[in-house]
Amino acid sequence: MMKKPLLLLVFIAVSVGMFQMYLASREPQEREVTGLPWQVEILQDGHTRIFGVIPGQDTLGDAIRQLGKEYKTGIMVTAEESVALEVFYSRYTAGILSGKLVLGSSLDKATLLEMINRSPKTDYLGSGSRKYQISQKDLETVMASRMTSITFIPLTGLDKGIVMSRFGQAEEMIEDEWLNTHYLYPSMGLDVTIMNQGKDLLQYVAPESFASLREPLGNDGGP
C-alpha cells in the first residue's frame, strides 16, 4: 500500500525537475561581448590581435576579409604634402561600440607617388588635402601590402576613468602641444588619445613599432 504514494512522489519530483530544466533552456543566454577596443590579445610572438586582425603581420586584404567589405580606400595627400594610403570604414561596430576605423599600410612614399600618377580620379577636400583614387592596376599591390596600424575613432567620448578602468594603468601619460592627453601602452602597441578638441581616438600598431607612436610626442611624460 505504501509503494503507490512513494512512486507518485518520485514521479512528481522528476516531473518538476524536468520542467525547471525546460524553463532554464528557454531563458536567453548571456553571450560574451567580443571585439571591444580594450580586448587586446597579446600573442606568443609578441604581436597583438585587435578586432580579429594583427597589425604588422596581416595584409590589408587579410584585414578586409575579417572586418568587412564596407570600406573605402585612397591615397591621402595633406596640405603639407604628407602622403599616406588609408582603408577607411565610415561606420564600424567594435563589440557594442560604434565609430570610424582607419587602416594604415606599409607602402612607402615613392610607391604611393607612382600610384598617384596612375590615379583615375582626384578629390579636393575642404581642408586643402587631396584624395586620389587607386587604379585597378594598383589594387592588387595595395591588398598585398602589410597593415601597419589601426585607428579607431569612437562615437562616444572617453575620459581618464574610462581609459584606466578598461585598459589599466598607462605606462606614460603625455600632454602634447595641442593639449591632447595620450595614454601609452607599449606592450599593447597602443596610444589612447583624449583630444582637447575633436574626436578621441585609439591608435594600435605592432608593439615592436610602438616608437612610431611615442617618438612624435617628445620626451615629456610620466606615469
Short mmCIF file of all heavy atoms in Angstrom, two decimals, residues 89-94 97-101 152-156:
data_model
loop_
_atom_site.label_atom_id
_atom_site.label_comp_id
_atom_site.label_asym_id
_atom_site.label_seq_id
_atom_site.Cartn_x
_atom_site.Cartn_y
_atom_site.Cartn_z
N TYR A 89 36.74 52.81 -42.86
CA TYR A 89 35.37 52.36 -42.57
C TYR A 89 34.64 53.52 -41.90
O TYR A 89 34.99 53.91 -40.78
CB TYR A 89 35.38 51.15 -41.64
CG TYR A 89 35.90 49.88 -42.26
CD1 TYR A 89 37.27 49.63 -42.37
CD2 TYR A 89 35.02 48.91 -42.76
CE1 TYR A 89 37.75 48.46 -42.94
CE2 TYR A 89 35.49 47.74 -43.33
CZ TYR A 89 36.85 47.52 -43.42
OH TYR A 89 37.32 46.36 -43.99
N SER A 90 33.63 54.06 -42.56
CA SER A 90 32.93 55.22 -42.00
C SER A 90 32.05 54.85 -40.81
O SER A 90 31.74 55.70 -39.98
CB SER A 90 32.08 55.90 -43.08
OG SER A 90 31.11 55.00 -43.58
N ARG A 91 31.67 53.58 -40.72
CA ARG A 91 30.90 53.12 -39.56
C ARG A 91 31.30 51.69 -39.26
O ARG A 91 31.01 50.78 -40.04
CB ARG A 91 29.40 53.22 -39.80
CG ARG A 91 28.59 52.96 -38.53
CD ARG A 91 27.12 53.35 -38.71
NE ARG A 91 26.36 53.17 -37.49
CZ ARG A 91 26.27 54.06 -36.50
NH1 ARG A 91 26.91 55.20 -36.61
NH2 ARG A 91 25.56 53.83 -35.42
N TYR A 92 31.98 51.51 -38.14
CA TYR A 92 32.44 50.19 -37.74
C TYR A 92 31.95 49.91 -36.32
O TYR A 92 32.02 50.79 -35.45
CB TYR A 92 33.97 50.11 -37.79
CG TYR A 92 34.49 48.77 -37.33
CD1 TYR A 92 34.44 47.67 -38.18
CD2 TYR A 92 35.00 48.60 -36.05
CE1 TYR A 92 34.89 46.43 -37.77
CE2 TYR A 92 35.45 47.36 -35.63
CZ TYR A 92 35.40 46.27 -36.48
OH TYR A 92 35.84 45.05 -36.05
N THR A 93 31.43 48.71 -36.10
CA THR A 93 30.95 48.32 -34.77
C THR A 93 32.00 47.46 -34.09
O THR A 93 32.34 46.37 -34.58
CB THR A 93 29.62 47.56 -34.87
OG1 THR A 93 28.64 48.40 -35.50
CG2 THR A 93 29.11 47.19 -33.48
N ALA A 94 32.51 47.96 -32.97
CA ALA A 94 33.51 47.24 -32.18
C ALA A 94 32.83 46.70 -30.92
O ALA A 94 32.74 47.39 -29.91
CB ALA A 94 34.67 48.17 -31.80
N LEU A 97 30.31 49.09 -29.34
CA LEU A 97 30.65 50.47 -29.63
C LEU A 97 30.70 50.70 -31.14
O LEU A 97 31.07 49.80 -31.90
CB LEU A 97 32.00 50.84 -29.01
CG LEU A 97 32.12 50.68 -27.49
CD1 LEU A 97 33.53 51.01 -27.05
CD2 LEU A 97 31.12 51.58 -26.78
N SER A 98 30.34 51.90 -31.55
CA SER A 98 30.41 52.26 -32.97
C SER A 98 31.39 53.41 -33.15
O SER A 98 31.60 54.22 -32.24
CB SER A 98 29.04 52.67 -33.49
OG SER A 98 28.15 51.58 -33.49
N GLY A 99 31.95 53.48 -34.33
CA GLY A 99 32.88 54.56 -34.63
C GLY A 99 33.43 54.42 -36.03
O GLY A 99 32.90 53.67 -36.85
N LYS A 100 34.49 55.13 -36.29
CA LYS A 100 35.18 55.06 -37.58
C LYS A 100 36.47 54.26 -37.40
O LYS A 100 37.08 54.29 -36.32
CB LYS A 100 35.48 56.46 -38.09
CG LYS A 100 34.23 57.30 -38.35
CD LYS A 100 34.59 58.71 -38.81
CE LYS A 100 33.33 59.54 -39.05
NZ LYS A 100 33.65 60.92 -39.48
N LEU A 101 36.88 53.59 -38.45
CA LEU A 101 38.07 52.76 -38.39
C LEU A 101 38.93 53.04 -39.61
O LEU A 101 38.42 53.10 -40.74
CB LEU A 101 37.67 51.28 -38.37
CG LEU A 101 38.76 50.27 -38.01
CD1 LEU A 101 39.09 50.37 -36.52
CD2 LEU A 101 38.31 48.86 -38.34
N PHE A 152 40.98 53.62 -34.34
CA PHE A 152 39.54 53.55 -34.07
C PHE A 152 39.12 54.87 -33.43
O PHE A 152 39.73 55.33 -32.46
CB PHE A 152 39.22 52.39 -33.13
CG PHE A 152 37.75 52.26 -32.80
CD1 PHE A 152 36.81 52.07 -33.80
CD2 PHE A 152 37.32 52.34 -31.49
CE1 PHE A 152 35.46 51.95 -33.50
CE2 PHE A 152 35.97 52.22 -31.18
CZ PHE A 152 35.04 52.02 -32.18
N ILE A 153 38.07 55.48 -34.00
CA ILE A 153 37.57 56.77 -33.52
C ILE A 153 36.14 56.55 -33.01
O ILE A 153 35.19 56.54 -33.80
CB ILE A 153 37.58 57.82 -34.65
CG1 ILE A 153 38.97 57.88 -35.29
CG2 ILE A 153 37.18 59.20 -34.12
CD1 ILE A 153 39.02 58.63 -36.60
N PRO A 154 35.96 56.32 -31.71
CA PRO A 154 34.62 56.00 -31.21
C PRO A 154 33.69 57.20 -31.25
O PRO A 154 34.12 58.35 -31.11
CB PRO A 154 34.90 55.56 -29.76
CG PRO A 154 36.17 56.25 -29.38
CD PRO A 154 36.98 56.34 -30.64
N LEU A 155 32.41 56.92 -31.46
CA LEU A 155 31.42 57.99 -31.43
C LEU A 155 31.25 58.54 -30.02
O LEU A 155 30.95 59.71 -29.83
CB LEU A 155 30.07 57.47 -31.95
CG LEU A 155 30.03 57.07 -33.44
CD1 LEU A 155 28.66 56.54 -33.79
CD2 LEU A 155 30.38 58.26 -34.32
N THR A 156 31.42 57.66 -29.03
CA THR A 156 31.30 58.05 -27.62
C THR A 156 32.64 58.56 -27.11
O THR A 156 33.68 57.92 -27.31
CB THR A 156 30.85 56.86 -26.77
OG1 THR A 156 29.64 56.34 -27.31
CG2 THR A 156 30.64 57.27 -25.33
#
